[in-house]
Amino acid sequence: MRLGARTSGAVRAVVLAMTVVFVALVLVAGQGEEVETVTLREGQPAPETLIATRDVEVVDETATEAARQAAGRDVEEVYTPDAAAGAAALRSMQDFFANVDEAAAPLEIPDDDPGVVPTVTTTPTTAAETTTSEATGTSEGETTTSEATTTSEETTTSTSTTTTTTTTLPPPPPEEVQIAQLREEHPLLRPETLQVMVAIRNDDLERATAGEGEIFPLVETEALTLANTYLGNGIRSGELEQVRNSLVSDPPTLILLRDLPDEQRLAAEAGVADLVATSLQPNSFPDDVATQFAREQARAAVEDITVSYVAGENIVTAGERVSAVQLQAINELGLLMPEESGPSLSAMALVATLVVLLAVFYLWRVAREYWQQPKMVALFGLLLILAAAVSRLPGLLTRDRLDLGFLIPAALLGYLAASLFDSRTAAVLAVPAGAFTALATESAPLVIFAVGVTLAPIPLVSAVSSRTELNLAVALSAALHAPLAVALAWFFYPEVSLGWAALFGVASGLISGVAALGLLPFLASAFGITTTQTLLDLTDRNHPALRLIEEEAPGTFNHSIMVGSLAGKAARAVGGNPLLAQAMAYFHDLGKTVAPQYFVENQFGVSNPHDQLPPEHSAAVVRSHVAEGLRLSRELGLPSDVAQAIVTHHGTSLMRYFYHRALELYGEDQVDPSDYRHRGRKPSSKEMVVLMMADSCEAAARALVQHEDPTSESLRRLVEQVISEKVEDGQLEESEVTFGELTRIKETIVDGLIGYYHARIPYPGFPGKVVPA
């Protein structure tokens, strides 16, 4: 589902909920008998002894909250390990041991250095000794080295003598040099640590030569093991100094170094402790989210602390100060509430809710075009709330005179719904109007009257096309109120004067009509709806936008008026809104007022500026009147329904005149037809299609009459040609106009053009000399 659809659904749900709430509030507010209620607050003395009427258990909110707060405070802060910090510490230690190995690497001496002399040792060995040596697997002259010494043995078992030759490689750098190098790389370590590590590493070279095991790898193992132990336990930022001091002050015993001399072992243990302490860093940090979660869990685990009262037990005695728990028990038992009288307000609210849901269900199933617009759903909800408010008026009026109830202005709903929605939706509003009146007044005659007067104006205002018809609709609707009020009063209120009932009924109709005329412009503007009254204002010749066209572009003004006449008739022929089509036609060329001299209908007595412009520039100038028209429509406050005509009256049609000029000037291969098309949208509604056809046909007819005298046949052929061209160009592919409706549009336009360009009888000698009287 798209985001826009989900958002619209959420808006509709909110609007529906608000409508239900407000309708219920309007109907319920002030209903029932006014009974003084007893108020009691925490800490006040009880006016009387209050006894539990049934078993009740209430939660001690204060004690419960205190217990939960204490449980949350008892939870220790949660720490989360940081593996990267621990890995960095171990990596630092490994780098140190690698640097020690690097510092102890033997110096490279050239092969021809006279200072290095190979040594050959000859040892007499008996055959028995050779056998013994072979049995034990070790030769007395065998030497083990660690990448520094090369041993070459030659053993002869057939004789009693064995000769061994050993080549001694260069020694490592002096310890002072190694320590100095390590101090530059690890300045934080103590000199004693560097000294003992270098000494152990250099001793390993001698141990390797003697065939003994190396100690330095064991030192590295012990150091890494010790660091892993601390890191595994977790080191918090505030504990680092304590851990370091503990290590340095009390170095741990290292089992793997037990073979070292005591003095060197202790120094090595202190060095390892110093190295680990220097390398360690915090690897456990506070986790606020986990801590908060743990504390919330601890608080949630605390069960409510409750206080119970059994039936017949005193909750509070007279004069005793009331605690929060006692007040909660009193309120839960309803000991301070007066006994209900009259109709159930809850039932009234439920019925009102069901009526609202029924009306909304109709809107969803039958009037889907309104349901898909959240603003229209909101307007429908507003009308339902208004219906509830109207239903409450008879209760305020009919104190002593029943006939005053006929002043209920329910017809207001019919006027508004028929003008803002349509006849079907307006008729549906009669159901909520009657239901809400029944709930508010419980009066059968007023229910019937409310339903009837809501329906009365609907057929009268739905087909209004002039201000006179609108005023007449208000008068006729008010006249229909009178017989309905008289009939109901005669049947239900025999004691009531029928004259007064008729007068109040007519007054109701007039009040409703005047109120509707006042509210319609406000609601239409607030919800962006084009009403009949709005269209009547737009088609008034004194409208500022029409006056602007007349003053700045008189030729365009005359063209627009003619197109409006054709469009209105054609829209009526295909079941469209003739008033909307006429208003759209009046303002479709509003943008031509910016540069009227570039449009042929405004060039009377002046040369055509397009004769001096390249065709592509002329096309751009003509195309710009759409964009300028949209800008002016926003500035002048034209409704969006009318402003759509500016974008759609040309659609994406080709400007043939400039296109053919371009073909003549540049050749067919150098001209792109898309450069000579309008940038509008194709028409979709009947009114848009009617406007496009009326505009094109009227312009073509004006061009025709400049070259020949029009006849009915020539005008018919012209209209057929223009409309066929629009259809073939794909301008109607987004509209819902059928071919049958298109035929009716053609006939209406032809009739209109024939009526406008009808032939006239020539007057003999006219014009001529003035004949004297």
Side-chain angles (χ1 to χ4, degrees):
M1 183 183 292
R2 295 175 302 172
L3 178 60
R6 291 197 297 268
T7 303
S8 298
V11 172
R12 285 193 292 264
V14 171
V15 168
L16 177 58
M18 293 179 63
T19 301
V20 169
V21 170
F22 280 106
V23 166
L25 288 176
V26 170
L27 290 173
V28 171
Q31 295 281 11
E33 296 182 5
E34 297 182 0
V35 181
E36 184 178 355
T37 59
V38 179
T39 59
L40 186 62
R41 296 184 178 86
E42 181 182 350
Q44 288 183 342
E48 58 180 325
T49 300
L50 299 174
I51 303 173
T53 55
R54 55 179 173 82
D55 293 348
V56 66
E57 183 178 76
V58 295
V59 178
D60 189 338
E61 299 289 351
T62 304
T64 301
E65 183 60 24
R68 288 173 178 167
Q69 293 296 334
R73 287 193 299 269
D74 292 341
V75 175
E76 295 184 356
E77 194 170 23
V78 178
Y79 282 77
T80 300
D82 186 353
L90 296 176
R91 210 163 36 246
S92 173
M93 296 175 61
Q94 291 170 343
D95 291 345
F96 170 75
F97 287 106
N99 291 339
V100 173
D101 281 335
E102 183 181 352
L107 297 173
E108 295 184 3
I109 300 176
D111 294 340
D112 56 354
D113 193 333
V116 178
V117 180
T119 303
V120 179
T121 304
T122 303
T123 304
T125 306
T126 63
E129 291 172 341
T130 300
T131 303
T132 304
S133 176
E134 291 175 352
T136 60
T138 305
S139 173
E140 292 179 359
E142 183 178 353
T143 304
T144 304
T145 64
S146 176
E147 299 178 2
T149 306
T150 304
T151 303
S152 175
E153 293 187 359
E154 296 178 0
T155 305
T156 306
T157 58
S158 60
T159 64
S160 60
T161 303
T162 301
T163 303
T164 303
T165 303
T166 303
T167 302
T168 304
L169 293 178
E175 289 189 0
E176 294 78 3
V177 175
Q178 298 180 43
I179 292 173
Q181 179 180 341
L182 291 173
R183 185 176 295 112
E184 292 181 2
E185 297 170 340
H186 304 279
L188 298 180
L189 294 176
R190 297 185 303 175
E192 295 85 352
T193 300
L194 301 176
Q195 184 176 0
V196 70
M197 294 299 177
V198 169
I200 293 174
R201 184 67 188 88
N202 290 335
D203 290 345
D204 273 357
L205 297 177
E206 297 178 3
R207 294 187 186 93
T209 304
E212 300 176 2
E214 296 183 1
I215 300 299
F216 193 69
L218 302 179
V219 175
E220 181 177 1
T221 299
E222 287 283 15
L224 293 175
T225 301
L226 181 61
N228 269 318
T229 300
Y230 279 97
L231 292 172
N233 294 333
I235 302 176
R236 301 177 181 178
S237 56
E239 299 174 346
L240 181 60
E241 288 303 320
Q242 179 182 353
V243 172
R244 286 176 171 174
N245 294 335
S246 175
L247 270 171
V248 174
S249 62
D250 186 16
T253 301
L254 305 179
I255 304 301
L256 297 181
L257 306 184
R258 61 182 178 277
D259 294 336
L260 288 175
D262 290 345
E263 182 178 354
Q264 192 177 26
R265 178 177 56 79
L266 294 175
E269 291 174 347
V272 167
D274 179 40
L275 174 62
V276 173
T278 303
S279 302
L280 287 178
Q281 54 182 291
N283 71 330
S284 183
F285 300 94
D287 189 335
D288 295 337
V289 175
T291 302
Q292 184 64 24
F293 180 72
R295 289 174 178 170
E296 290 294 339
Q297 284 188 318
R299 284 193 284 264
V302 176
E303 296 182 356
D304 292 336
I305 299 175
T306 60
V307 177
S308 299
Y309 297 96
V310 298
E313 180 182 357
N314 285 357
I315 298 176
V316 62
T317 57
E320 180 185 352
R321 292 187 179 276
V322 180
S323 67
V325 175
Q326 292 170 329
L327 184 60
Q328 186 176 353
I330 292 168
N331 290 333
E332 186 165 336
L333 293 172
L335 301 180
L336 300 178
M337 297 294 294
E339 295 183 1
E340 292 186 3
S341 60
S344 172
L345 300 184
S346 299
M348 180 184 295
L350 177 60
V351 173
T353 300
L354 294 176
V355 172
V356 170
L357 294 178
L358 180 63
V360 172
F361 178 76
Y362 167 85
L363 197 70
W364 172 58
R365 291 294 297 174
V366 179
R368 297 301 291 269
E369 68 274 16
Y370 298 125
W371 175 258
Q372 293 171 358
Q373 303 178 58
K375 68 175 185 179
M376 299 305 293
V377 178
L379 179 58
F380 189 74
L382 183 61
L383 292 183
L384 289 174
I385 297 172
L386 181 61
V390 166
S391 69
R392 293 298 306 274
L393 292 179
L396 303 175
L397 299 174
T398 57
R399 295 296 182 182
D400 299 321
R401 296 188 58 175
L402 297 176
D403 52 355
L404 284 173
F406 293 121
L407 285 172
I408 180 173
L412 173 64
L413 303 173
Y415 283 113
L416 296 179
S419 301
L420 298 171
F421 288 89
D422 54 25
S423 300
R424 297 175 306 167
T425 307
V428 169
L429 273 180
V431 176
F436 295 158
T437 304
L439 292 173
T441 65
E442 300 182 26
S443 171
L446 291 184
V447 171
I448 299 173
F449 184 77
V451 173
V453 299
T454 300
L455 295 173
I458 295 175
L460 299 175
V461 299
S462 297
V464 168
S465 59
S466 67
R467 194 170 302 279
T468 301
E469 291 182 359
L470 182 61
N471 295 332
L472 183 60
V474 173
L476 289 176
S477 176
L480 291 175
H481 285 49
L484 181 60
V486 169
L488 291 171
W490 188 10
F491 185 83
F492 289 97
Y493 308 138
E495 70 281 9
V496 171
S497 169
L498 299 183
W500 283 111
L503 179 61
F504 292 147
V506 172
S508 168
L510 294 176
I511 292 171
S512 299
V514 173
L517 294 178
L519 285 175
L520 270 176
F522 171 75
L523 294 175
S525 175
F527 290 89
I529 301 171
T530 304
T531 64
T532 299
Q533 187 173 355
T534 304
L535 295 175
L536 290 174
D537 292 337
L538 290 173
T539 54
D540 188 335
R541 295 296 181 87
N542 291 318
H543 192 279
L546 267 181
R547 292 175 60 186
L548 174 66
I549 299 174
E550 185 176 16
E551 293 170 1
E552 299 295 333
T556 299
F557 173 79
N558 291 324
H559 161 72
S560 299
I561 297 300
M562 180 61 186
V563 172
S565 176
L566 295 174
K569 294 177 181 178
R572 185 178 291 106
V574 294
N577 186 335
L579 202 56
L580 175 60
Q582 186 177 358
M584 293 168 71
Y586 281 2
F587 301 102
H588 75 285
D589 277 339
L590 179 62
K592 291 183 179 180
T593 59
V594 176
Q597 70 275 14
Y598 285 96
F599 300 91
V600 65
E601 66 267 25
N602 300 311
Q603 294 172 357
F604 183 77
V606 298
S607 61
N608 190 342
H610 290 290
D611 295 339
Q612 310 301 322
L613 294 177
E616 62 272 18
H617 289 180
S618 295
V621 171
V622 172
R623 187 187 296 119
S624 67
H625 83 280
V626 172
E628 293 293 344
L630 283 177
R631 178 181 63 81
L632 289 173
S633 71
R634 287 191 291 268
E635 292 179 0
L636 295 170
L638 296 184
S640 60
D641 291 347
V642 176
Q644 290 298 317
I646 299 174
V647 187
T648 60
H649 76 279
H650 285 306
T652 59
S653 300
L654 183 68
M655 290 178 273
R656 292 193 175 276
Y657 178 79
F658 300 118
Y659 174 64
H660 287 295
R661 278 192 59 195
L663 292 179
E664 294 172 359
L665 290 175
Y666 308 130
E668 187 173 355
D669 295 338
Q670 302 299 321
V671 177
D672 185 358
S674 63
D675 294 337
Y676 296 89
R677 284 189 176 275
H678 287 279
R679 301 288 191 264
R681 291 200 309 270
K682 297 178 181 180
S684 56
S685 67
K686 291 180 180 180
E687 292 80 10
M688 293 178 185
V689 172
V690 163
L691 173 59
M692 172 180 277
M693 298 309 171
D695 178 44
S696 301
C697 292
E698 199 281 334
R702 283 181 181 267
L704 175 67
V705 298
Q706 291 179 0
H707 301 93
E708 62 180 78
D709 291 333
T711 65
S712 60
E713 290 302 323
S714 64
L715 290 173
R716 183 176 299 277
R717 285 195 302 271
L718 178 67
V719 172
E720 288 279 356
Q721 180 182 354
V722 170
I723 293 181
S724 297
E725 179 183 336
K726 296 295 183 183
V727 174
E728 292 172 2
D729 196 31
Q731 297 303 313
L732 305 187
E733 60 188 11
E734 296 182 8
S735 72
E736 300 178 355
V737 174
T738 65
F739 283 106
E741 292 172 334
L742 195 59
T743 300
R744 291 197 294 274
I745 292 173
K746 292 178 187 177
E747 295 299 329
T748 306
I749 293 177
V750 169
D751 292 342
L753 291 176
I754 291 173
Y756 184 75
Y757 293 110
H758 62 274
R760 289 174 171 83
I761 298 174
Y763 292 91
F766 181 82
K769 296 181 180 180
V770 177
V771 178

